[in-house]
Amino acid sequence: QVQLLESGGGSVQAGGSLWLSCVASGASSNFESMAWFREAPGELREGVAALDADGTTHYLDSVKGRFTVSGDIAKRTLFLQMDRLKPEDTAVYSCAADEVRLYGGSWSIEYEYNYWGQGTQVTVSS
């Protein structure tokens, strides 16, 4: 059984930075896509950023230029550098992964991912 473990969340003032990491453990499984999703209170979960096995990255429009996704899919690790954070970035951030390469806008569809972490809280105060 594959497990994804996130770390690095916390509280920061607007304009600050945080770094999230996700590491997979458990049963061997070759990922093709890994992603970060977030869910704010009262809102639907949304895709924030993703990384494909070939190094292609994807971003939610509202985080472009502020967030940077990186990692090593072969090593099943994923990171998210979040800069110039805003109060609207406050949410629980979860790591997701799948063995299938996701094309086009599919990277941001949560049901496309088989594996999920439990999430880490990110709180940005104004």
Side-chain angles (χ1 to χ4, degrees):
Q1 185 175 357
V2 174
Q3 294 179 327
L4 301 179
L5 181 61
E6 305 99 334
S7 62
S11 298
V12 66
Q13 288 191 325
S17 298
L18 285 173
W19 167 270
L20 303 183
S21 66
C22 173
V23 178
S25 63
S28 295
S29 183
N30 295 323
F31 297 153
E32 289 292 326
S33 298
M34 295 185 74
W36 290 101
F37 282 75
R38 69 185 181 188
E39 186 172 7
E43 298 190 15
L44 297 175
R45 184 182 288 177
E46 62 180 354
V48 176
L51 176 67
D52 297 332
D54 66 358
T56 302
T57 57
H58 310 273
Y59 293 97
L60 179 68
D61 283 347
S62 63
V63 308
K64 285 180 180 178
R66 299 189 298 121
F67 290 10
T68 303
V69 66
S70 63
D72 188 331
I73 299 295
K75 295 182 179 179
R76 308 196 302 176
T77 59
L78 188 70
F79 308 107
L80 186 67
Q81 174 67 42
M82 302 184 292
D83 298 318
R84 290 182 283 145
L85 282 160
K86 303 176 181 180
E88 50 264 43
D89 294 319
T90 296
V92 174
Y93 284 70
S94 299
C95 177
D98 200 83
E99 298 98 335
V100 176
R101 169 73 187 271
L102 301 176
Y103 293 92
S106 296
W107 72 268
S108 64
I109 301 175
E110 60 177 300
Y111 65 72
E112 295 285 357
Y113 295 87
N114 274 329
Y115 308 108
W116 289 85
Q118 291 193 337
T120 183
Q121 178 69 45
V122 170
T123 302
V124 184
S125 58
S126 57

